Each structure stands twice: as structure tokens, then as C-alpha cells.
């Protein structure tokens, strides 16, 4: 599967079926990175997040949000690089409308959002979705679906592009 050069102020991952329609089958992501080069190389985004707006170095280059999360399984945990199975974004109890997670690139740090050519993503074993879509937006309101990808395994990092 080819990520194909995504670029947008926002990049969203949405739980979908094989035809790209939104589903309520929950997502559970424990590690995700967008890469500027193919083969999961080059600069990766976001950096290791310690909360929704700050990385572990104290920088505020990204804002992580989600349509829904369960308990303390906060959205930023999908990008924290923790090895703990409890550091996961989990959308338990989600609906088809809010089954998404979003990375916003800060406009002061990224005057032009980077072009993403590959993706690495891990789905925790509480994941129910069979596919996910990558979507982009320039304004955080209107999204365009860029591709649909099958979730072929859990508790492992899947690489695309």
C-alpha cells in the first residue's frame, strides 16, 4: 500500500470498512508515525508526545485530537512511543462519526505542512476496525480521503509506503 504523498495541515486516521465508509468498530493505536520519506525513513511526525500539545522535549509543534477516547486512553498516547500496553489511544464506545484521531501541524513551526510518504502504525489487540482511512484537511473541518488501508495484524507495527 502506498501512502502517496499526503500533505495537509491536518492528517486524520479514521476507522472504516473496505469500501471507505466510516464504521463504529473501534480503533486502538499504540504507536504511529508519519514519515517524510518512503520505507519509514526521513523525518518522522509527530515527535514523542507527552500530552495533546507538547512533546517530550517541551515543543508544541503538533496538536493531537480525537473524536472520542475511552477513560485515560488519551489520543496523544498513540504518539508517545511508550512500550507499555496501557499507553494507547482507545476509542472504545465510539460511533462511526467520531472514530478518528487527528494530527495538526502547527502553522508557526510548519509554514507549509510536510509531505508524508510513509506511515508506521501499531494497532493494539483491542482494535476492532478492519481498515483505516488516511484523510487530509487544510482547515480541520473539511477532510478528503486519501487512501484506505487494511489492518493486517495487531500488537505489531504495520508499515505502509
Amino acid at each position: 500500500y502506498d501512502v502517496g504523498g499526503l500533505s495537509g495541515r491536518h492528517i486524520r486516521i479514521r476507522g472504516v470498512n473496505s469500501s471507505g465508509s466510516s464504521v463504529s468498530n473501534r480503533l486502538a493505536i499504540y504507536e504511529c508515525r508519519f514519515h517524510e520519506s518512503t520505507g519509514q525513513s526521513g523525518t518522522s511526525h509527530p515527535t514523542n508526545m507527552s500530552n495533546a500539545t507538547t512533546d517530550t522535549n517541551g515543543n508544541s509543534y503538533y496538536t493531537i485530537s480525537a473524536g472520542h477516547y475511552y477513560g485515560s486512553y488519551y489520543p496523544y498516547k498513540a504518539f508517545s512511543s511508550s512500550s507499555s500496553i496501557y499507553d494507547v489511544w482507545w476509542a472504545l464506545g465510539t460511533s462511526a462519526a467520531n472514530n478518528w484521531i487527528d494530527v495538526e501541524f502547527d502553522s508557526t513551526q510548519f509554514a507549509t505542512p510536510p509531505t508524508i510518504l510513509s506511515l508506521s502504525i501499531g494497532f493494539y489487540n483491542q482494535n476492532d476496525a478492519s481498515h483505516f482511512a488516511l484523510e487530509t484537511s487544510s482547515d480541520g473541518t473539511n477532510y478528503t480521503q486519501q487512501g484506505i488501508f487494511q489492518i493486517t495484524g495487531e500488537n505489531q507495527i504495520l508499515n505502509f509506503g
Side-chain angles (χ1 to χ4, degrees):
Y1 294 92
D2 185 10
V3 174
L6 301 174
S7 186
R9 181 71 49 207
H10 295 260
I11 298 178
R12 182 173 280 187
I13 297 168
R14 176 180 294 282
V16 298
N17 61 23
S18 61
S19 66
S21 297
S22 296
V23 296
S24 62
N25 299 9
R26 64 184 173 232
L27 292 170
I29 300 172
Y30 69 89
E31 181 57 22
C32 183
R33 289 290 182 268
F34 299 102
H35 306 276
E36 290 187 33
S37 297
T38 60
Q40 295 67 51
S41 62
T43 303
S44 62
H45 304 277
T47 48
N48 295 337
M49 300 301 291
S50 57
N51 63 48
T53 59
T54 309
D55 69 15
T56 54
N57 293 320
N59 300 313
S60 297
Y61 300 153
Y62 312 93
T63 298
I64 311 301
S65 59
H68 176 77
Y69 66 90
Y70 177 75
S72 62
Y73 299 99
Y74 303 112
Y76 79 87
K77 290 184 176 186
F79 307 98
S80 67
S81 289
S82 173
S83 59
S84 170
I85 63 169
Y86 300 106
D87 282 342
V88 59
W89 167 64
W90 192 22
L92 177 64
T94 193
S95 69
N98 66 9
N99 193 16
W100 55 264
I101 189 166
D102 186 273
V103 176
E104 178 182 359
F105 293 86
D106 181 77
S107 62
T108 58
Q109 177 65 25
F110 302 97
T112 301
T115 298
I116 303 303
L117 297 177
S118 63
L119 165 70
S120 54
I121 187 168
F123 293 94
Y124 180 59
N125 69 1
Q126 295 298 318
N127 187 77
D128 289 338
S130 62
H131 292 77
F132 68 95
L134 290 177
E135 303 172 336
T136 58
S137 173
S138 61
D139 61 9
T141 301
N142 301 297
Y143 285 82
T144 301
Q145 191 174 90
Q146 303 293 338
I148 302 165
F149 302 86
Q150 185 175 10
I151 299 170
T152 58
E154 296 174 341
N155 295 333
Q156 62 184 334
I157 301 296
L158 304 176
N159 295 313
F160 301 92

